[in-house]
Amino acid sequence: MQKLITLKIDQQIIQAEEGSNLLKVARENGFNIPGLCFHNKLTPTAACRLCSVKIKNTKGITMACGIKVSDGLEVIAFDDELHENRKQTLIHLLSEHNPAFDDTYYDEFRELIHAFKIDTNKTGNVSKEIIFQETVIDSSSPALVYDSSKCIKCFRCIKACTEIQGKDILSFAERGISSYIVAGTGVWGESECDGCGECIQLCPTGAIVEIPHRSEIKLSKITKKVQTTCPYCGVGCQLLLYIQDGKIMRADGFENSSPNYGRLCVKGRFGYDFVHSKERLTKPLIKKEGIFVESSWEEALTLIASKFNFIKKNFGIDANAGYSSAKCTNEDNYIFQKFIRLAFESNNMDYCTRLCHASTVTGMIKSINSGAASNSIEDFEETSCLFVIGNNIIDTHPITATYVKRGVAKGMKVIVCDPKWTPLVKYAKIWLQPKAGTDVALMNGMIQVIISENLIDSDFINARIENGMVAYEELKAVTEKYTPEYTEKITGVDKEKIITAARMYATAETAMIATGMGMSQQITGTANVFSLLNMCLITGQIGKALCGINPPRGQNNVQGATDVGVSPFYFPGYIPITNTENRKKLANIWKVKEEKISSKPGLTTIEIVHAVHQGDIKGLYIMGENPLVTDPNLNHTRAAFQKLDFLVVQDIFMTETSLEADVVLPASSFAEKEGTIVNSDRRVLRVRKAVEMPGEAREDWKILVEIAERMGVSIGKYADAEAIFKEIAMVTPIMAGINYTKLEKGGIQWPCPDENHPGTPTLFLDKFSTPSGKAKIFPVEYEEQSEKVSAAYPLMMNSGRILNQYHSTTMSRKNNVLNEYGNQSYILMHPSDVQKYNISNGEKVRVINKRGELMTTLRESTEVLQGEVFMPWHFGESLVNNLTRDEMDEFSKIAPFKLSAVRIEKIEQCIPSEIKI
């Protein structure tokens, strides 16, 4: 904390931190000095000239936004001269401004005009006639419109783009009175603008306004504004939803609240229209003679209960299974796992974490007994060095990326490791581009450099690692052969880059790792994570502030779903299902006999599909998941689903998976429920109801409670979501001190063991979560992937996500703005391969392997290595997972989504391929 000093504003004595901005200090203490160019999140500009003040012993008038407070400063904020000066400044600004107002945006300028009683209809208020320059209107963006006639050249949009979002896309064209804002080289729609809308939120005059709902929204008719959590990625951005006539009309970033402090990406700002889509499920559907027929809730729930009970009675308690959802709240997921454990009497349950971060969680739990992020999202700006591996953080976690870009501007060094070019490469000191699947070799190579140059932290090794230097020597023996030269031969990464990256990470004052699905979605996923942790541990770059390992979560509640017990292996709070004492505790709280709660490990996602295919699982309950898009080896998965005796899907839309169901139940979206989620940095955040559910849709947890009762099992009677969370806190030690009242003040990071605890921003500062308090080193050898290229399938396909679409696109493709930024499948191929296979850029192609095939559009790109291709996997018409494998990592049971050998052919050249199911 900086030194506190004393100053005077209009004779009032005020204390403030030395060096604070005078305008900010004044406003925080009730002196509402006007200003249009200043914003708390931006560096001061002094462009509008409205925050004029007088400073003792300083001649003339000074702009408050350009002054840093110091001890003894005396300020006059309001007097007649200052009032007249501000009024004349407003009049001059108005002389170049179009004052027309349509009530669709918040206009700070208009408020000041009214406050100073300036009549915009009388030119007598202006020294000359109102001047309008030739108006420039740019409506080429899918998201926004710029109107130069309302622009006062305050710089806020330019600074928002550069200083907050780190994009640096906006600037001025022309000079003086004729200047106006441009994006890129001049046309918004042709620029790199990705629609985050920061410029819209910070524009004070309506010069930049959003396109969606402009014909509908009227701010004077907004009935309420609701703070809630974004339903997309795992950052957990806080939204402010504007509600008019029972409909969401706008989403702003909620200012002054972590983790985003007002920032949003294009999905957060414009991705809410799915809530009111005409395609929403509104009534229960039962498939009769192959056709879905609308039914009553009574009929649907009675059928579901009788079918699942029949399967239990005739095939055993492990013949039913469930998939839960990372898009549902903690409360929904807690009730789901309780439903499976008590109504099905089984631990056969899983959700999408098995398809994304299971190996990360598995490796981290084995080594440090925690699978969650070590650090806060804000730390991504403050650490000295950031090592990003297998994570396209700008596209997949855009707001976390804003912290990274701001950190780079302050001197942070970034190392990017990815076989595909990602936008973060532009900000990196080093880009390591290994051949796909060679991550263990690369990490061992970096470890070898660190050890050979004695860049280890011996004190940390001795104090914080089990068996200390003995464990270290075992790692040294395994990694000794991975010299830079040897590693280069395996990975294709230049040896000098390997050496430089190792030195940069190991010698940094503080260093963090951000790992992603590029590392985890492999047959060697757990080994990949072990190798990362080994490097982290021997350098001591964990267990202190601004150091650690962080796997940003792909969906909004991936973290929370496992936290509250949706796991075949763990009860809520990551307590093993074999823990007898905890099982007794649960039985007491759940008011059931201990033997009612199974201690038999359940099946994981892919194991469930295999068991269905083999006839061992007959019934499946899916809440909010779409496995017929997201699961690997989809031809095999489809064949398995055909063998189910009974399938229930509970969702907000009819999905590819819902179409195969026997019963489909209409559920609630994020905007229609109360609850909580846990974001990527373990922050428990509130979800708040903003609008009503459509038709007869119901809240997810309420549906589950009622089905259980019809099955003859009580899983609890809850008045509301808050009552469920109180029970979560009782059975989940890491959340014991969290409640809805505390969450009203903001998110809380677990562990939070009691009500007086503030939460834990950084993990492992004193000890690790293992029984001994020390971490474990797991030396691993590089092993070649089982999937290899061949003459028949000469290209290795990688897959991943893009910014403007999300997961299986169930939600994102229901939003016009997101679709306009990109709504078509494609495959990236290196130019040399395009020439080699005689294919043209933009041509329709078929991608084929022994598991399946798909059609897509070819894009020539140097973003990928020769011999490798990349596809986004979101698009249902080009299902990438037709081609991926359902083999499993030995430890985590994750599938190798990232490495699929394929061939690519022109459509007219294609011949049917052998597909094995």
Side-chain angles (χ1 to χ4, degrees):
M1 186 175 179
Q2 289 180 297
K3 175 185 173 184
L4 282 179
I5 55 90
T6 301
L7 68 151
K8 285 184 180 179
I9 301 180
D10 288 349
Q11 300 305 309
Q12 180 177 325
I13 297 174
I14 292 169
Q15 279 197 321
E17 287 187 4
E18 187 175 27
S20 299
N21 184 278
L22 173 58
L23 181 56
K24 185 173 183 290
V25 169
R27 289 178 174 178
E28 288 173 348
N29 286 275
F31 296 92
N32 193 21
I33 299 171
L36 291 172
C37 65
F38 180 79
H39 193 281
N40 286 341
K41 297 192 294 186
L42 304 175
T43 58
T45 307
C48 71
R49 317 301 291 174
L50 285 168
C51 64
S52 52
V53 294
K54 296 175 181 176
I55 306 292
K56 185 177 180 180
N57 298 325
T58 300
K59 290 184 178 180
I61 289 173
T62 303
M63 299 306 117
C65 70
I67 299 296
K68 293 180 179 180
V69 299
S70 57
D71 197 44
L73 187 72
E74 293 189 27
V75 181
I76 297 174
F78 294 95
D79 66 13
D80 290 343
E81 182 183 5
L82 288 170
H83 179 84
E84 185 60 27
N85 179 278
R86 292 164 183 162
K87 182 174 183 178
Q88 290 302 314
T89 299
L90 281 168
I91 289 171
H92 284 293
L93 287 172
L94 182 60
S95 71
E96 301 175 28
H97 176 76
N98 174 6
F101 180 66
D102 62 7
D103 198 23
T104 66
Y105 56 90
Y106 176 50
D107 193 334
E108 297 175 44
F109 190 17
R110 186 170 183 267
E111 287 191 353
L112 287 176
I113 294 296
H114 289 172
F116 280 81
K117 297 182 173 56
I118 300 171
D119 188 348
T120 59
N121 295 314
K122 294 182 179 179
T123 58
N125 285 320
V126 187
S127 57
K128 297 180 180 179
E129 289 187 0
I130 294 178
I131 303 167
F132 289 112
Q133 297 301 305
E134 183 177 346
T135 299
V136 175
I137 295 178
D138 189 337
S139 58
S140 60
S141 165
L144 57 87
V145 174
Y146 169 71
D147 181 350
S148 68
S149 74
K150 301 189 73 62
C151 180
I152 61 168
K153 306 173 181 63
C154 68
F155 286 88
R156 260 168 58 167
C157 62
I158 293 174
K159 289 198 165 193
C161 186
T162 299
E163 296 180 5
I164 299 173
Q165 289 283 343
K167 295 171 182 172
D168 201 21
I169 295 167
L170 303 185
S171 59
F172 276 114
E174 304 299 335
R175 293 185 179 184
I177 199 170
S178 299
S179 61
Y180 60 93
I181 302 294
V182 293
T185 57
V187 180
W188 223 293
E190 297 174 4
S191 73
E192 292 183 344
C193 174
D194 57 24
C196 74
E198 194 74 47
C199 56
I200 302 170
Q201 185 159 327
L202 266 64
C203 177
T205 67
I208 304 176
V209 293
E210 59 194 54
I211 290 174
H213 305 295
R214 283 300 302 285
S215 61
E216 303 170 76
I217 189 171
K218 297 293 179 184
L219 292 187
S220 58
K221 294 183 179 180
I222 295 295
T223 53
K224 59 181 175 178
K225 298 177 184 178
V226 180
Q227 180 189 351
T228 191
T229 303
C230 178
Y232 288 100
C233 81
V235 175
C237 291
Q238 295 301 284
L239 305 178
L240 190 65
L241 301 180
Y242 290 63
I243 311 302
Q244 177 181 318
D245 299 326
K247 183 179 178 182
I248 303 170
M249 287 289 178
R250 177 169 294 162
D252 275 346
F254 191 79
E255 298 282 3
N256 304 316
S257 179
S258 61
N260 57 313
Y261 298 95
R263 291 170 256 193
L264 292 177
C265 76
V266 65
K267 292 192 295 292
R269 192 174 299 278
F270 297 112
Y272 54 80
D273 278 344
F274 73 88
V275 173
H276 306 294
S277 169
K278 293 179 180 178
E279 297 178 40
R280 283 287 300 274
L281 292 168
T282 59
K283 290 179 69 70
L285 303 173
I286 297 176
K287 189 176 284 180
K288 298 179 179 180
E289 298 181 358
I291 298 173
F292 283 113
V293 177
E294 290 186 351
S295 75
S296 66
W297 276 100
E298 175 69 25
E299 180 185 8
L301 297 181
T302 301
L303 174 63
I304 292 168
S306 65
K307 286 286 190 179
F308 284 134
N309 271 339
F310 177 85
I311 291 169
K312 275 177 62 178
K313 181 179 179 180
N314 290 276
F315 301 100
I317 58 175
D318 286 324
N320 287 317
Y323 286 172
S324 189
S325 176
K327 295 183 284 293
C328 290
T329 63
N330 292 319
E331 292 76 6
D332 294 330
N333 279 294
Y334 176 78
I335 295 299
F336 186 90
Q337 62 87 32
K338 194 174 180 182
F339 170 82
I340 298 295
R341 290 191 160 109
L342 297 185
F344 284 6
E345 300 180 65
S346 172
N347 289 308
N348 288 340
M349 73 180 107
D350 214 341
Y351 72 109
C352 73
T353 194
R354 194 66 48 194
L355 308 176
C356 57
H357 271 297
S359 54
T360 311
V361 173
T362 301
M364 290 175 67
I365 284 179
K366 284 180 176 291
S367 179
I368 55 181
N369 203 30
S370 173
S374 311
N375 305 91
S376 300
I377 286 172
E378 292 91 335
D379 291 349
F380 280 79
E381 181 177 338
E382 302 301 331
T383 190
S384 303
C385 177
L386 181 65
F387 184 52
V388 181
I389 182 164
N391 190 336
N392 180 5
I393 198 168
I394 287 181
D395 283 352
T396 59
H397 302 86
I399 301 309
T400 301
T402 66
Y403 288 98
V404 177
K405 289 182 276 189
R406 287 158 60 95
V408 169
K410 295 191 293 187
M412 180 175 72
K413 296 176 180 178
V414 173
I415 304 164
V416 171
C417 180
D418 205 301
K420 177 188 174 294
W421 181 93
T422 71
L424 192 63
V425 171
K426 294 187 291 186
Y427 302 87
K429 288 288 185 182
I430 303 173
W431 174 28
L432 308 175
Q433 191 181 19
K435 297 174 185 175
T438 62
D439 303 283
V440 168
L442 180 61
M443 298 313 304
N444 280 351
M446 291 182 66
I447 291 170
Q448 194 276 343
V449 172
I450 290 166
I451 291 174
S452 66
E453 298 189 4
N454 196 29
L455 303 179
I456 63 170
D457 187 334
S458 300
D459 291 340
F460 185 90
I461 293 170
N462 282 314
R464 303 289 301 272
I465 295 175
E466 285 192 15
N467 299 318
M469 295 303 292
V470 174
Y472 163 75
E473 290 294 337
E474 291 173 357
L475 177 65
K476 180 179 179 180
V478 170
T479 58
E480 196 167 13
K481 69 182 179 184
Y482 293 89
T483 62
E485 295 77 11
Y486 178 69
T487 305
E488 180 178 346
K489 288 179 181 178
I490 298 172
T491 65
V493 177
D494 182 86
K495 63 181 181 180
E496 294 302 325
K497 285 189 174 183
I498 296 170
I499 294 168
T500 303
R503 290 171 178 167
M504 188 177 293
Y505 174 81
T507 61
E509 183 177 352
T510 58
M512 286 165 44
I513 294 171
T515 182
M517 287 181 282
M519 283 286 276
S520 61
Q521 289 181 324
Q522 296 186 35
I523 199 82
T524 58
T526 304
N528 290 348
V529 176
F530 281 149
S531 65
L532 267 180
L533 284 161
N534 292 341
M535 182 179 74
C536 185
L537 290 168
I538 65 169
T539 54
Q541 297 288 24
I542 191 170
K544 59 184 179 181
L546 305 178
C547 295
I549 183 168
N550 302 272
R553 305 310 193 192
Q555 296 194 57
N556 63 326
N557 203 27
V558 169
Q559 185 66 54
T562 313
D563 292 347
V564 300
V566 180
S567 168
F569 312 124
Y570 297 107
F571 289 130
Y574 300 90
I575 302 170
I577 59 173
T578 53
N579 185 310
T580 303
E581 287 303 311
N582 188 67
R583 204 161 59 251
K584 288 179 180 178
K585 174 185 172 182
L586 281 181
N588 181 54
I589 294 171
W590 289 356
K591 295 180 173 58
V592 298
K593 293 180 179 179
E594 182 187 341
E595 58 267 23
K596 181 78 171 177
I597 305 173
S598 174
S599 61
K600 177 185 175 183
L603 299 179
T604 64
T605 298
I606 298 168
E607 290 174 325
I608 288 170
V609 172
H610 287 176
V612 171
H613 201 277
Q614 294 162 7
D616 296 328
I617 286 181
K618 305 290 185 180
L620 185 59
Y621 196 125
I622 299 176
M623 179 179 78
E625 288 286 279
N626 192 10
L628 289 182
V629 173
T630 60
D631 275 21
N633 196 359
L634 281 178
N635 286 300
H636 180 270
T637 303
R638 287 189 204 95
F641 271 56
Q642 293 296 318
K643 295 185 177 185
L644 279 166
D645 286 3
F646 192 61
L647 173 62
V648 176
V649 175
Q650 181 172 306
D651 215 318
I652 61 175
F653 291 107
M654 187 64 77
T655 65
E656 289 84 349
T657 305
S658 303
L659 291 170
E660 301 300 319
D662 296 289
V663 180
V664 178
L665 301 177
S668 52
S669 77
F670 86 106
E672 298 150 1
K673 64 175 74 175
E674 298 286 335
T676 58
I677 63 100
V678 186
N679 78 340
S680 288
D681 66 2
R682 301 167 281 105
R683 203 178 311 234
V684 182
L685 296 159
R686 284 281 277 116
V687 174
R688 296 178 177 87
K689 183 176 180 178
V691 296
E692 297 299 323
M693 288 174 281
E696 297 179 19
R698 293 185 180 181
E699 290 178 69
D700 293 87
W701 68 265
K702 288 183 177 179
I703 298 171
L704 294 163
V705 168
E706 190 163 349
I707 292 172
E709 289 178 354
R710 289 168 186 263
M711 291 179 69
V713 178
S714 174
I715 60 173
K717 296 185 183 299
Y718 305 96
D720 50 27
E722 184 174 8
I724 299 172
F725 192 86
K726 287 179 180 178
E727 186 172 303
I728 292 173
M730 291 171 65
V731 302
T732 312
I734 56 177
M735 297 184 188
I738 303 176
N739 57 57
Y740 275 31
T741 301
K742 287 178 69 173
L743 291 174
E744 285 303 307
K745 299 176 183 178
I748 299 172
Q749 291 166 277
W750 65 252
C752 180
D754 59 69
E755 290 192 3
N756 296 319
H757 196 283
T760 309
T762 305
L763 295 180
F764 319 128
L765 292 180
D766 300 316
K767 63 181 181 178
F768 291 101
S769 302
T770 58
S772 67
K774 295 184 178 183
K776 296 180 182 179
I777 284 177
F778 287 89
V780 286
E781 287 277 12
Y782 164 70
E783 294 181 10
E784 289 189 19
Q785 300 284 332
S786 58
E787 181 96 336
K788 296 180 175 65
V789 295
S790 64
Y793 306 111
L795 299 165
M796 189 60 76
M797 186 180 74
N798 188 2
S799 65
R801 305 182 182 208
I802 58 176
L803 171 64
N804 60 288
Q805 295 294 349
Y806 174 74
H807 209 236
S808 64
T809 70
T810 303
M811 300 188 309
S812 61
R813 247 177 164 178
K814 307 294 190 303
N815 302 274
N816 291 335
V817 171
L818 302 187
N819 289 339
E820 287 189 48
Y821 277 105
N823 194 28
Q824 184 185 50
S825 169
Y826 59 86
I827 189 163
L828 300 181
M829 179 184 274
H830 192 274
S832 62
D833 288 325
V834 171
Q835 185 177 9
K836 179 178 179 179
Y837 296 108
N838 192 29
I839 305 172
S840 301
N841 186 47
E843 191 169 8
K844 293 289 182 182
V845 295
R846 185 166 283 135
V847 187
I848 306 165
N849 70 8
K850 59 186 177 182
R851 290 173 292 274
E853 59 183 56
L854 59 83
M855 290 176 57
T856 188
T857 302
L858 184 113
R859 291 187 184 177
E860 184 177 324
S861 175
T862 56
E863 292 182 7
V864 293
L865 287 166
Q866 186 175 351
E868 297 184 8
V869 291
F870 172 87
M871 278 193 74
W873 62 269
H874 305 287
F875 302 102
E877 64 274 18
S878 300
L879 286 169
V880 171
N881 284 327
N882 280 339
L883 312 178
T884 55
R885 292 172 284 153
D886 58 358
E887 298 173 41
M888 289 181 284
D889 172 67
E890 176 185 359
F891 302 103
S892 66
K893 311 301 182 184
I894 200 170
F897 290 88
K898 296 302 181 189
L899 295 158
S900 305
V902 301
R903 72 172 181 265
I904 298 178
E905 298 178 351
K906 294 184 178 183
I907 297 296
E908 65 271 16
Q909 291 180 344
C910 289
I911 58 174
S913 59
E914 180 185 357
I915 300 173
K916 297 179 181 179
I917 297 176

